[in-house]
Each structure stands twice: as C-alpha cells, then as structure tokens.
Amino acid sequence: MSEQPTRIFDLAERVSVPDPFTEIEQCREFDRTMRTQLIIPMQHLMKLLTPHVSQAAEVLEVGCGPGLVSLRLAALHKQAEFVAVDANDRFLEVARENAIFANLVSYGGRFTCDYAHSNHLPFDDDSFDVVFSFCAVPRWRRPEKTIAECARVCRPGGTVVIYDLARDADEGMISFVLQYSAGEADQFMRSLRSGYTVPEMRELLTGLGLGDWSVAREGINLVVSSVPLGVNYAVGDPGIYEDIFTER
C-alpha cells in the first residue's frame, strides 16, 4: 500500500470560527488588505461577473464586508442597482465610508448597503439577476443555508457566484501566499481552514438540490457558480487589472 504524502498544513478538517472582525479598525485593515493583497482575486471575480452584471438590473452582494467589489462594479455598470448586505455593523460602517468617498471622487454608482443575516435574506424569491459573494464564507454561520438563500433570491436564468478560498488548494500555492501575507498570515489561515474542498462543496450543493452548479478550484480560490464560468486566469493577465479606477 502506497504511503500518503506528508502534508505541511493541518487542513484535513474544516474548522468553523466566529466572525473575527469585532472592532471597526479590524474592518478598516481588511479594507486595506482588499486593496493590496487581494487585488488580483477581486479583479478576477469582477472579470467573471462582468458578462452577467452588464445585462443585470438588480445585483446582490452577500457578506459585502467593506463593499469594494459592489462599489467598483456599480461604477462600471450604471444601469444596475447594487444592494450589499452584511451581518457585521462595523463592516457596514466602512462600506458607507467607501460609498461616500466614491461619490466625492465621481466614482459612484447605484449602491446601497444594509444589515441582513446571510442565512435569512430579507428579500422575496426571484429578486435579483445576479447574486455573489467574495471571501465571505468563513463569516457565515451556516454556509449551506446562505447558499440556499442565494439561490432562492436569484431569478430564473440569473447567476449566483460564490468566490472564496479552497481548503484543498495546492500547498505550494498556500506557502507562496503566506510569504506575502505579512501580518495577515493568521487571518488567512483561519479563513482557509473555514473553507471547503471541491468534493465537500459538491456534496453540499447536491444536498441542497443544486448538483448542477459548477465548482472549480483556480489557484488558491474556490469558485462556485450556478452557470458554467471560464475561471482560468494568470497573474499578469491584463484583464485582471483593467478598469480598476476608471470608467469605461
């Protein structure tokens, strides 16, 4: 019997933890992290969403954190109304600060944010054309319930995209990310341990009756979508960085 390869990191089991962002300065620090260390995955998600958001009238972000993804998309897609929700009041305060600044520099769009529990979204069935989340799964108390809620509020023929960390990512890639995590290494590992593997997510979706959804691992990221997406990207791909600060 062949021996199992030695693992560097203890990631065999998913470990759920309470929302670690208990102070507003922690939320502001995460806001800065999104603008620097998370710029590539954030731009990748925007690239995946653009074909769907460009045709949308109503878009929902679940677990919006500081609201950067919705704010950037709202500035680029003026026809759509963006609603961002979070169950952490401190993150919502930062999101509102970002919205005020975006409007001051004429980079605003149709964006609102409000408080909502992700496992009980306060919207009617079939309310949105696009529903998405970015690196929010570790803060969800019941991810399976939240995913079901995302499916419920998305219109038939609409698009749901959940973009997060893959716990079964290549360990070399994890080591690479840790080299550049600076003071965020502990938070990164907590988030990674709270994430799902590809097989776990497929099993979860099947249990929800969503077995036809797509699950893909790209680098260190897990991309879950209600429709097939071309998830591949490479660092340095111009499409990852374009339109970060300017309107088209």
Side-chain angles (χ1 to χ4, degrees):
M1 184 173 64
S2 61
E3 295 184 3
Q4 294 296 320
T6 302
R7 302 288 291 178
I8 302 172
F9 303 103
D10 182 14
L11 296 169
E13 301 293 333
R14 179 175 181 268
V15 180
S16 180
V17 297
D19 187 346
F21 296 97
T22 58
E23 303 292 337
I24 191 166
E25 286 307 317
Q26 292 175 298
C27 297
R28 291 193 174 113
E29 181 60 34
F30 184 75
D31 180 45
R32 290 188 287 270
T33 297
M34 283 188 67
R35 298 168 188 269
T36 54
Q37 297 177 38
L38 296 181
I39 190 68
I40 293 176
M42 183 163 58
Q43 288 301 113
H44 182 222
L45 173 60
M46 289 176 62
K47 186 176 182 180
L48 295 176
L49 288 173
T50 289
H52 308 279
V53 171
S54 63
Q55 305 297 320
E58 288 90 20
V59 180
L60 174 66
E61 181 178 6
V62 181
C64 65
L68 289 180
V69 180
S70 281
L71 280 166
R72 286 181 169 177
L73 287 170
L76 298 170
H77 303 280
K78 301 288 191 180
Q79 89 291 344
E81 179 179 354
F82 286 77
V83 179
V85 298
D86 206 292
N88 187 323
D89 284 317
R90 293 160 292 277
F91 263 132
L92 290 172
E93 184 172 344
V94 177
R96 293 183 181 111
E97 292 171 353
N98 285 334
I100 291 170
F101 181 74
N103 285 301
L104 284 174
V105 297
S106 300
Y107 195 70
R110 298 169 62 193
F111 169 88
T112 58
C113 59
D114 209 344
Y115 182 93
H117 282 292
S118 63
N119 59 9
H120 187 69
L121 297 174
F123 306 108
D124 294 335
D125 295 357
D126 309 334
S127 293
F128 298 92
D129 301 298
V130 177
V131 181
F132 75 92
S133 75
F134 177 74
C135 293
V137 171
R139 299 193 294 116
W140 293 345
R141 293 182 181 178
R142 296 178 59 192
E144 72 285 354
K145 178 63 175 175
T146 298
I147 293 172
E149 282 288 276
C150 290
R152 179 184 67 80
V153 302
C154 188
R155 291 176 178 138
T159 303
V160 179
V161 178
I162 297 167
Y163 194 106
D164 222 280
L165 294 174
R167 208 177 74 252
D168 53 351
D170 178 77
E171 290 198 318
M173 179 65 73
I174 296 172
S175 298
F176 176 80
V177 171
L178 284 172
Q179 291 181 55
Y180 297 94
S181 295
E184 303 297 324
D186 289 342
Q187 178 58 42
F188 168 75
M189 289 305 299
R190 281 195 297 269
S191 296
L192 187 60
R193 291 190 177 98
S194 298
Y196 286 82
T197 66
V198 170
E200 287 171 349
M201 181 55 69
R202 285 180 175 149
E203 182 179 359
L204 184 154
L205 291 171
T206 299
L208 294 173
L210 304 173
D212 58 339
W213 282 25
S214 296
V215 182
R217 183 176 58 244
E218 175 58 31
I220 202 166
N221 300 113
L222 187 71
V223 184
V224 180
S225 58
S226 61
V227 297
L229 300 174
V231 301
N232 294 330
Y233 74 95
V235 175
D237 175 2
I240 301 301
Y241 305 97
E242 64 191 6
D243 295 328
I244 297 178
F245 300 113
T246 57
E247 295 184 37
R248 289 180 292 187

PDB file of all heavy atoms in Angstrom, residues 38-75:
ATOM      1  N   LEU A  38      -5.399  41.450  -1.938  1.00  0.00           N
ATOM      2  CA  LEU A  38      -6.498  40.720  -2.576  1.00  0.00           C
ATOM      3  C   LEU A  38      -6.911  41.331  -3.907  1.00  0.00           C
ATOM      4  O   LEU A  38      -7.962  40.982  -4.442  1.00  0.00           O
ATOM      5  CB  LEU A  38      -7.710  40.665  -1.631  1.00  0.00           C
ATOM      6  CG  LEU A  38      -7.511  39.903  -0.326  1.00  0.00           C
ATOM      7  CD1 LEU A  38      -8.790  39.917   0.504  1.00  0.00           C
ATOM      8  CD2 LEU A  38      -7.087  38.464  -0.594  1.00  0.00           C
ATOM      9  N   ILE A  39      -6.100  42.222  -4.450  1.00  0.00           N
ATOM     10  CA  ILE A  39      -6.497  42.907  -5.674  1.00  0.00           C
ATOM     11  C   ILE A  39      -6.653  41.943  -6.850  1.00  0.00           C
ATOM     12  O   ILE A  39      -7.566  42.082  -7.671  1.00  0.00           O
ATOM     13  CB  ILE A  39      -5.502  44.039  -6.020  1.00  0.00           C
ATOM     14  CG1 ILE A  39      -6.048  44.901  -7.161  1.00  0.00           C
ATOM     15  CG2 ILE A  39      -4.121  43.485  -6.361  1.00  0.00           C
ATOM     16  CD1 ILE A  39      -7.252  45.701  -6.810  1.00  0.00           C
ATOM     17  N   ILE A  40      -5.788  40.928  -6.956  1.00  0.00           N
ATOM     18  CA  ILE A  40      -5.883  40.008  -8.094  1.00  0.00           C
ATOM     19  C   ILE A  40      -7.143  39.149  -8.025  1.00  0.00           C
ATOM     20  O   ILE A  40      -7.908  39.097  -9.000  1.00  0.00           O
ATOM     21  CB  ILE A  40      -4.610  39.152  -8.218  1.00  0.00           C
ATOM     22  CG1 ILE A  40      -3.431  40.043  -8.608  1.00  0.00           C
ATOM     23  CG2 ILE A  40      -4.802  38.044  -9.254  1.00  0.00           C
ATOM     24  CD1 ILE A  40      -2.112  39.314  -8.662  1.00  0.00           C
ATOM     25  N   PRO A  41      -7.430  38.466  -6.898  1.00  0.00           N
ATOM     26  CA  PRO A  41      -8.695  37.714  -6.869  1.00  0.00           C
ATOM     27  C   PRO A  41      -9.921  38.612  -6.987  1.00  0.00           C
ATOM     28  O   PRO A  41     -10.925  38.205  -7.590  1.00  0.00           O
ATOM     29  CB  PRO A  41      -8.656  36.984  -5.525  1.00  0.00           C
ATOM     30  CG  PRO A  41      -7.612  37.669  -4.734  1.00  0.00           C
ATOM     31  CD  PRO A  41      -6.621  38.207  -5.695  1.00  0.00           C
ATOM     32  N   MET A  42      -9.870  39.827  -6.437  1.00  0.00           N
ATOM     33  CA  MET A  42     -11.014  40.725  -6.559  1.00  0.00           C
ATOM     34  C   MET A  42     -11.254  41.093  -8.016  1.00  0.00           C
ATOM     35  O   MET A  42     -12.392  41.063  -8.501  1.00  0.00           O
ATOM     36  CB  MET A  42     -10.795  41.977  -5.713  1.00  0.00           C
ATOM     37  CG  MET A  42     -11.973  42.935  -5.739  1.00  0.00           C
ATOM     38  SD  MET A  42     -11.964  44.146  -4.401  1.00  0.00           S
ATOM     39  CE  MET A  42     -10.396  44.947  -4.695  1.00  0.00           C
ATOM     40  N   GLN A  43     -10.184  41.416  -8.745  1.00  0.00           N
ATOM     41  CA  GLN A  43     -10.331  41.729 -10.159  1.00  0.00           C
ATOM     42  C   GLN A  43     -10.757  40.504 -10.967  1.00  0.00           C
ATOM     43  O   GLN A  43     -11.500  40.618 -11.942  1.00  0.00           O
ATOM     44  CB  GLN A  43      -9.021  42.295 -10.710  1.00  0.00           C
ATOM     45  CG  GLN A  43      -8.726  43.705 -10.233  1.00  0.00           C
ATOM     46  CD  GLN A  43      -9.834  44.667 -10.623  1.00  0.00           C
ATOM     47  OE1 GLN A  43     -10.536  45.181  -9.760  1.00  0.00           O
ATOM     48  NE2 GLN A  43     -10.028  44.901 -11.894  1.00  0.00           N
ATOM     49  N   HIS A  44     -10.300  39.318 -10.545  1.00  0.00           N
ATOM     50  CA  HIS A  44     -10.719  38.096 -11.228  1.00  0.00           C
ATOM     51  C   HIS A  44     -12.220  37.899 -11.078  1.00  0.00           C
ATOM     52  O   HIS A  44     -12.921  37.587 -12.058  1.00  0.00           O
ATOM     53  CB  HIS A  44      -9.959  36.894 -10.664  1.00  0.00           C
ATOM     54  CG  HIS A  44     -10.291  35.604 -11.341  1.00  0.00           C
ATOM     55  ND1 HIS A  44     -10.466  34.432 -10.657  1.00  0.00           N
ATOM     56  CD2 HIS A  44     -10.495  35.302 -12.652  1.00  0.00           C
ATOM     57  CE1 HIS A  44     -10.758  33.459 -11.508  1.00  0.00           C
ATOM     58  NE2 HIS A  44     -10.776  33.961 -12.725  1.00  0.00           N
ATOM     59  N   LEU A  45     -12.733  38.090  -9.872  1.00  0.00           N
ATOM     60  CA  LEU A  45     -14.176  37.952  -9.668  1.00  0.00           C
ATOM     61  C   LEU A  45     -14.933  38.959 -10.534  1.00  0.00           C
ATOM     62  O   LEU A  45     -15.952  38.621 -11.153  1.00  0.00           O
ATOM     63  CB  LEU A  45     -14.525  38.153  -8.195  1.00  0.00           C
ATOM     64  CG  LEU A  45     -16.029  38.209  -7.882  1.00  0.00           C
ATOM     65  CD1 LEU A  45     -16.722  36.919  -8.285  1.00  0.00           C
ATOM     66  CD2 LEU A  45     -16.264  38.516  -6.420  1.00  0.00           C
ATOM     67  N   MET A  46     -14.457  40.205 -10.578  1.00  0.00           N
ATOM     68  CA  MET A  46     -15.121  41.214 -11.409  1.00  0.00           C
ATOM     69  C   MET A  46     -15.144  40.798 -12.874  1.00  0.00           C
ATOM     70  O   MET A  46     -16.140  40.997 -13.573  1.00  0.00           O
ATOM     71  CB  MET A  46     -14.418  42.556 -11.243  1.00  0.00           C
ATOM     72  CG  MET A  46     -14.632  43.207  -9.885  1.00  0.00           C
ATOM     73  SD  MET A  46     -13.692  44.740  -9.701  1.00  0.00           S
ATOM     74  CE  MET A  46     -14.400  45.740 -11.014  1.00  0.00           C
ATOM     75  N   LYS A  47     -14.053  40.212 -13.326  1.00  0.00           N
ATOM     76  CA  LYS A  47     -13.989  39.748 -14.717  1.00  0.00           C
ATOM     77  C   LYS A  47     -15.004  38.635 -14.971  1.00  0.00           C
ATOM     78  O   LYS A  47     -15.666  38.597 -16.021  1.00  0.00           O
ATOM     79  CB  LYS A  47     -12.574  39.261 -15.034  1.00  0.00           C
ATOM     80  CG  LYS A  47     -12.353  38.895 -16.497  1.00  0.00           C
ATOM     81  CD  LYS A  47     -10.901  38.517 -16.754  1.00  0.00           C
ATOM     82  CE  LYS A  47     -10.675  38.190 -18.223  1.00  0.00           C
ATOM     83  NZ  LYS A  47      -9.266  37.814 -18.493  1.00  0.00           N
ATOM     84  N   LEU A  48     -15.165  37.722 -14.002  1.00  0.00           N
ATOM     85  CA  LEU A  48     -16.147  36.648 -14.131  1.00  0.00           C
ATOM     86  C   LEU A  48     -17.576  37.192 -14.134  1.00  0.00           C
ATOM     87  O   LEU A  48     -18.444  36.688 -14.853  1.00  0.00           O
ATOM     88  CB  LEU A  48     -15.985  35.644 -12.992  1.00  0.00           C
ATOM     89  CG  LEU A  48     -14.688  34.843 -12.924  1.00  0.00           C
ATOM     90  CD1 LEU A  48     -14.670  33.978 -11.674  1.00  0.00           C
ATOM     91  CD2 LEU A  48     -14.513  33.983 -14.171  1.00  0.00           C
ATOM     92  N   LEU A  49     -17.817  38.216 -13.328  1.00  0.00           N
ATOM     93  CA  LEU A  49     -19.175  38.747 -13.173  1.00  0.00           C
ATOM     94  C   LEU A  49     -19.588  39.672 -14.311  1.00  0.00           C
ATOM     95  O   LEU A  49     -20.792  39.800 -14.604  1.00  0.00           O
ATOM     96  CB  LEU A  49     -19.287  39.510 -11.859  1.00  0.00           C
ATOM     97  CG  LEU A  49     -19.291  38.684 -10.573  1.00  0.00           C
ATOM     98  CD1 LEU A  49     -19.236  39.606  -9.363  1.00  0.00           C
ATOM     99  CD2 LEU A  49     -20.540  37.797 -10.505  1.00  0.00           C
ATOM    100  N   THR A  50     -18.636  40.319 -14.955  1.00  0.00           N
ATOM    101  CA  THR A  50     -18.957  41.382 -15.907  1.00  0.00           C
ATOM    102  C   THR A  50     -19.954  40.974 -16.996  1.00  0.00           C
ATOM    103  O   THR A  50     -20.913  41.719 -17.268  1.00  0.00           O
ATOM    104  CB  THR A  50     -17.666  41.946 -16.535  1.00  0.00           C
ATOM    105  OG1 THR A  50     -16.969  42.690 -15.526  1.00  0.00           O
ATOM    106  CG2 THR A  50     -17.970  42.860 -17.710  1.00  0.00           C
ATOM    107  N   PRO A  51     -19.814  39.810 -17.658  1.00  0.00           N
ATOM    108  CA  PRO A  51     -20.801  39.467 -18.694  1.00  0.00           C
ATOM    109  C   PRO A  51     -22.226  39.361 -18.158  1.00  0.00           C
ATOM    110  O   PRO A  51     -23.182  39.599 -18.902  1.00  0.00           O
ATOM    111  CB  PRO A  51     -20.302  38.110 -19.211  1.00  0.00           C
ATOM    112  CG  PRO A  51     -18.863  38.055 -18.836  1.00  0.00           C
ATOM    113  CD  PRO A  51     -18.758  38.794 -17.544  1.00  0.00           C
ATOM    114  N   HIS A  52     -22.360  39.028 -16.889  1.00  0.00           N
ATOM    115  CA  HIS A  52     -23.681  38.852 -16.291  1.00  0.00           C
ATOM    116  C   HIS A  52     -24.198  40.166 -15.700  1.00  0.00           C
ATOM    117  O   HIS A  52     -25.369  40.514 -15.871  1.00  0.00           O
ATOM    118  CB  HIS A  52     -23.606  37.768 -15.217  1.00  0.00           C
ATOM    119  CG  HIS A  52     -22.986  36.498 -15.710  1.00  0.00           C
ATOM    120  ND1 HIS A  52     -23.690  35.562 -16.431  1.00  0.00           N
ATOM    121  CD2 HIS A  52     -21.703  36.034 -15.621  1.00  0.00           C
ATOM    122  CE1 HIS A  52     -22.875  34.557 -16.760  1.00  0.00           C
ATOM    123  NE2 HIS A  52     -21.674  34.821 -16.277  1.00  0.00           N
ATOM    124  N   VAL A  53     -23.320  40.914 -15.039  1.00  0.00           N
ATOM    125  CA  VAL A  53     -23.710  42.184 -14.439  1.00  0.00           C
ATOM    126  C   VAL A  53     -24.051  43.208 -15.517  1.00  0.00           C
ATOM    127  O   VAL A  53     -24.930  44.059 -15.326  1.00  0.00           O
ATOM    128  CB  VAL A  53     -22.581  42.707 -13.521  1.00  0.00           C
ATOM    129  CG1 VAL A  53     -22.872  44.126 -13.059  1.00  0.00           C
ATOM    130  CG2 VAL A  53     -22.424  41.790 -12.306  1.00  0.00           C
ATOM    131  N   SER A  54     -23.385  43.141 -16.657  1.00  0.00           N
ATOM    132  CA  SER A  54     -23.619  44.125 -17.715  1.00  0.00           C
ATOM    133  C   SER A  54     -25.036  44.043 -18.275  1.00  0.00           C
ATOM    134  O   SER A  54     -25.518  45.003 -18.891  1.00  0.00           O
ATOM    135  CB  SER A  54     -22.610  43.934 -18.843  1.00  0.00           C
ATOM    136  OG  SER A  54     -22.763  42.656 -19.450  1.00  0.00           O
ATOM    137  N   GLN A  55     -25.712  42.908 -18.038  1.00  0.00           N
ATOM    138  CA  GLN A  55     -27.087  42.735 -18.511  1.00  0.00           C
ATOM    139  C   GLN A  55     -28.099  42.788 -17.368  1.00  0.00           C
ATOM    140  O   GLN A  55     -29.291  42.570 -17.590  1.00  0.00           O
ATOM    141  CB  GLN A  55     -27.213  41.379 -19.232  1.00  0.00           C
ATOM    142  CG  GLN A  55     -26.226  41.168 -20.367  1.00  0.00           C
ATOM    143  CD  GLN A  55     -26.414  42.156 -21.487  1.00  0.00           C
ATOM    144  OE1 GLN A  55     -27.531  42.490 -21.855  1.00  0.00           O
ATOM    145  NE2 GLN A  55     -25.314  42.657 -22.044  1.00  0.00           N
ATOM    146  N   ALA A  56     -27.643  43.081 -16.165  1.00  0.00           N
ATOM    147  CA  ALA A  56     -28.492  42.969 -14.980  1.00  0.00           C
ATOM    148  C   ALA A  56     -29.169  44.288 -14.627  1.00  0.00           C
ATOM    149  O   ALA A  56     -28.667  45.377 -14.935  1.00  0.00           O
ATOM    150  CB  ALA A  56     -27.669  42.481 -13.793  1.00  0.00           C
ATOM    151  N   ALA A  57     -30.307  44.166 -13.950  1.00  0.00           N
ATOM    152  CA  ALA A  57     -30.991  45.340 -13.399  1.00  0.00           C
ATOM    153  C   ALA A  57     -30.778  45.428 -11.898  1.00  0.00           C
ATOM    154  O   ALA A  57     -30.624  46.522 -11.351  1.00  0.00           O
ATOM    155  CB  ALA A  57     -32.488  45.280 -13.710  1.00  0.00           C
ATOM    156  N   GLU A  58     -30.791  44.285 -11.209  1.00  0.00           N
ATOM    157  CA  GLU A  58     -30.582  44.251  -9.759  1.00  0.00           C
ATOM    158  C   GLU A  58     -29.523  43.220  -9.410  1.00  0.00           C
ATOM    159  O   GLU A  58     -29.589  42.077  -9.880  1.00  0.00           O
ATOM    160  CB  GLU A  58     -31.878  43.909  -9.005  1.00  0.00           C
ATOM    161  CG  GLU A  58     -32.912  45.025  -8.986  1.00  0.00           C
ATOM    162  CD  GLU A  58     -33.859  44.947 -10.184  1.00  0.00           C
ATOM    163  OE1 GLU A  58     -33.947  43.858 -10.785  1.00  0.00           O
ATOM    164  OE2 GLU A  58     -34.479  45.978 -10.511  1.00  0.00           O
ATOM    165  N   VAL A  59     -28.569  43.634  -8.586  1.00  0.00           N
ATOM    166  CA  VAL A  59     -27.448  42.773  -8.193  1.00  0.00           C
ATOM    167  C   VAL A  59     -27.339  42.791  -6.679  1.00  0.00           C
ATOM    168  O   VAL A  59     -27.427  43.854  -6.049  1.00  0.00           O
ATOM    169  CB  VAL A  59     -26.124  43.260  -8.820  1.00  0.00           C
ATOM    170  CG1 VAL A  59     -24.965  42.355  -8.390  1.00  0.00           C
ATOM    171  CG2 VAL A  59     -26.227  43.319 -10.333  1.00  0.00           C
ATOM    172  N   LEU A  60     -27.110  41.615  -6.083  1.00  0.00           N
ATOM    173  CA  LEU A  60     -26.975  41.492  -4.633  1.00  0.00           C
ATOM    174  C   LEU A  60     -25.613  40.916  -4.281  1.00  0.00           C
ATOM    175  O   LEU A  60     -25.202  39.898  -4.837  1.00  0.00           O
ATOM    176  CB  LEU A  60     -28.063  40.570  -4.065  1.00  0.00           C
ATOM    177  CG  LEU A  60     -27.969  40.222  -2.576  1.00  0.00           C
ATOM    178  CD1 LEU A  60     -28.194  41.447  -1.698  1.00  0.00           C
ATOM    179  CD2 LEU A  60     -28.955  39.107  -2.220  1.00  0.00           C
ATOM    180  N   GLU A  61     -24.916  41.567  -3.331  1.00  0.00           N
ATOM    181  CA  GLU A  61     -23.697  41.001  -2.755  1.00  0.00           C
ATOM    182  C   GLU A  61     -23.999  40.580  -1.322  1.00  0.00           C
ATOM    183  O   GLU A  61     -24.459  41.388  -0.509  1.00  0.00           O
ATOM    184  CB  GLU A  61     -22.537  41.993  -2.762  1.00  0.00           C
ATOM    185  CG  GLU A  61     -21.265  41.385  -2.176  1.00  0.00           C
ATOM    186  CD  GLU A  61     -20.052  42.298  -2.196  1.00  0.00           C
ATOM    187  OE1 GLU A  61     -20.196  43.478  -2.573  1.00  0.00           O
ATOM    188  OE2 GLU A  61     -18.961  41.818  -1.829  1.00  0.00           O
ATOM    189  N   VAL A  62     -23.712  39.327  -0.994  1.00  0.00           N
ATOM    190  CA  VAL A  62     -23.987  38.771   0.327  1.00  0.00           C
ATOM    191  C   VAL A  62     -22.683  38.675   1.111  1.00  0.00           C
ATOM    192  O   VAL A  62     -21.732  38.039   0.669  1.00  0.00           O
ATOM    193  CB  VAL A  62     -24.646  37.376   0.215  1.00  0.00           C
ATOM    194  CG1 VAL A  62     -24.948  36.811   1.602  1.00  0.00           C
ATOM    195  CG2 VAL A  62     -25.924  37.462  -0.613  1.00  0.00           C
ATOM    196  N   GLY A  63     -22.642  39.315   2.284  1.00  0.00           N
ATOM    197  CA  GLY A  63     -21.411  39.377   3.059  1.00  0.00           C
ATOM    198  C   GLY A  63     -20.448  40.354   2.425  1.00  0.00           C
ATOM    199  O   GLY A  63     -19.304  40.015   2.108  1.00  0.00           O
ATOM    200  N   CYS A  64     -20.890  41.592   2.240  1.00  0.00           N
ATOM    201  CA  CYS A  64     -20.151  42.555   1.416  1.00  0.00           C
ATOM    202  C   CYS A  64     -18.886  43.086   2.061  1.00  0.00           C
ATOM    203  O   CYS A  64     -18.041  43.665   1.371  1.00  0.00           O
ATOM    204  CB  CYS A  64     -21.059  43.726   1.064  1.00  0.00           C
ATOM    205  SG  CYS A  64     -21.572  44.736   2.486  1.00  0.00           S
ATOM    206  N   GLY A  65     -18.706  42.919   3.389  1.00  0.00           N
ATOM    207  CA  GLY A  65     -17.523  43.487   4.026  1.00  0.00           C
ATOM    208  C   GLY A  65     -17.459  44.977   3.782  1.00  0.00           C
ATOM    209  O   GLY A  65     -18.448  45.695   3.944  1.00  0.00           O
ATOM    210  N   PRO A  66     -16.314  45.511   3.337  1.00  0.00           N
ATOM    211  CA  PRO A  66     -16.191  46.950   3.094  1.00  0.00           C
ATOM    212  C   PRO A  66     -16.844  47.428   1.799  1.00  0.00           C
ATOM    213  O   PRO A  66     -16.785  48.614   1.483  1.00  0.00           O
ATOM    214  CB  PRO A  66     -14.680  47.171   3.049  1.00  0.00           C
ATOM    215  CG  PRO A  66     -14.114  45.861   2.614  1.00  0.00           C
ATOM    216  CD  PRO A  66     -15.012  44.823   3.208  1.00  0.00           C
ATOM    217  N   GLY A  67     -17.453  46.522   1.046  1.00  0.00           N
ATOM    218  CA  GLY A  67     -18.248  46.906  -0.108  1.00  0.00           C
ATOM    219  C   GLY A  67     -17.481  47.231  -1.368  1.00  0.00           C
ATOM    220  O   GLY A  67     -18.064  47.714  -2.350  1.00  0.00           O
ATOM    221  N   LEU A  68     -16.188  46.953  -1.425  1.00  0.00           N
ATOM    222  CA  LEU A  68     -15.370  47.390  -2.549  1.00  0.00           C
ATOM    223  C   LEU A  68     -15.787  46.774  -3.875  1.00  0.00           C
ATOM    224  O   LEU A  68     -15.800  47.462  -4.907  1.00  0.00           O
ATOM    225  CB  LEU A  68     -13.897  47.075  -2.281  1.00  0.00           C
ATOM    226  CG  LEU A  68     -13.194  47.914  -1.219  1.00  0.00           C
ATOM    227  CD1 LEU A  68     -11.739  47.467  -1.082  1.00  0.00           C
ATOM    228  CD2 LEU A  68     -13.262  49.390  -1.577  1.00  0.00           C
ATOM    229  N   VAL A  69     -16.119  45.487  -3.877  1.00  0.00           N
ATOM    230  CA  VAL A  69     -16.449  44.836  -5.149  1.00  0.00           C
ATOM    231  C   VAL A  69     -17.715  45.451  -5.739  1.00  0.00           C
ATOM    232  O   VAL A  69     -17.758  45.823  -6.921  1.00  0.00           O
ATOM    233  CB  VAL A  69     -16.602  43.318  -4.971  1.00  0.00           C
ATOM    234  CG1 VAL A  69     -16.951  42.661  -6.307  1.00  0.00           C
ATOM    235  CG2 VAL A  69     -15.328  42.690  -4.402  1.00  0.00           C
ATOM    236  N   SER A  70     -18.755  45.587  -4.916  1.00  0.00           N
ATOM    237  CA  SER A  70     -20.004  46.172  -5.420  1.00  0.00           C
ATOM    238  C   SER A  70     -19.825  47.621  -5.841  1.00  0.00           C
ATOM    239  O   SER A  70     -20.381  48.058  -6.858  1.00  0.00           O
ATOM    240  CB  SER A  70     -21.099  46.078  -4.348  1.00  0.00           C
ATOM    241  OG  SER A  70     -21.647  44.787  -4.293  1.00  0.00           O
ATOM    242  N   LEU A  71     -19.044  48.379  -5.083  1.00  0.00           N
ATOM    243  CA  LEU A  71     -18.817  49.774  -5.438  1.00  0.00           C
ATOM    244  C   LEU A  71     -18.116  49.894  -6.788  1.00  0.00           C
ATOM    245  O   LEU A  71     -18.471  50.737  -7.622  1.00  0.00           O
ATOM    246  CB  LEU A  71     -17.999  50.468  -4.353  1.00  0.00           C
ATOM    247  CG  LEU A  71     -18.782  50.913  -3.115  1.00  0.00           C
ATOM    248  CD1 LEU A  71     -17.840  51.274  -1.978  1.00  0.00           C
ATOM    249  CD2 LEU A  71     -19.686  52.093  -3.459  1.00  0.00           C
ATOM    250  N   ARG A  72     -17.123  49.074  -7.027  1.00  0.00           N
ATOM    251  CA  ARG A  72     -16.412  49.125  -8.312  1.00  0.00           C
ATOM    252  C   ARG A  72     -17.311  48.679  -9.448  1.00  0.00           C
ATOM    253  O   ARG A  72     -17.334  49.297 -10.522  1.00  0.00           O
ATOM    254  CB  ARG A  72     -15.159  48.261  -8.247  1.00  0.00           C
ATOM    255  CG  ARG A  72     -14.051  48.899  -7.417  1.00  0.00           C
ATOM    256  CD  ARG A  72     -12.811  48.033  -7.389  1.00  0.00           C
ATOM    257  NE  ARG A  72     -11.689  48.767  -6.820  1.00  0.00           N
ATOM    258  CZ  ARG A  72     -10.500  48.259  -6.617  1.00  0.00           C
ATOM    259  NH1 ARG A  72     -10.269  46.988  -6.941  1.00  0.00           N
ATOM    260  NH2 ARG A  72      -9.523  48.973  -6.091  1.00  0.00           N
ATOM    261  N   LEU A  73     -18.064  47.623  -9.237  1.00  0.00           N
ATOM    262  CA  LEU A  73     -18.968  47.163 -10.290  1.00  0.00           C
ATOM    263  C   LEU A  73     -20.063  48.187 -10.556  1.00  0.00           C
ATOM    264  O   LEU A  73     -20.437  48.424 -11.709  1.00  0.00           O
ATOM    265  CB  LEU A  73     -19.578  45.818  -9.897  1.00  0.00           C
ATOM    266  CG  LEU A  73     -18.643  44.607  -9.960  1.00  0.00           C
ATOM    267  CD1 LEU A  73     -19.296  43.400  -9.306  1.00  0.00           C
ATOM    268  CD2 LEU A  73     -18.261  44.284 -11.406  1.00  0.00           C
ATOM    269  N   ALA A  74     -20.578  48.818  -9.508  1.00  0.00           N
ATOM    270  CA  ALA A  74     -21.636  49.817  -9.675  1.00  0.00           C
ATOM    271  C   ALA A  74     -21.143  51.005 -10.485  1.00  0.00           C
ATOM    272  O   ALA A  74     -21.898  51.594 -11.281  1.00  0.00           O
ATOM    273  CB  ALA A  74     -22.143  50.274  -8.307  1.00  0.00           C
ATOM    274  N   ALA A  75     -19.881  51.379 -10.304  1.00  0.00           N
ATOM    275  CA  ALA A  75     -19.321  52.495 -11.059  1.00  0.00           C
ATOM    276  C   ALA A  75     -19.179  52.167 -12.536  1.00  0.00           C
ATOM    277  O   ALA A  75     -19.256  53.052 -13.396  1.00  0.00           O
ATOM    278  CB  ALA A  75     -17.967  52.893 -10.477  1.00  0.00           C
TER     279      ALA A  75
END
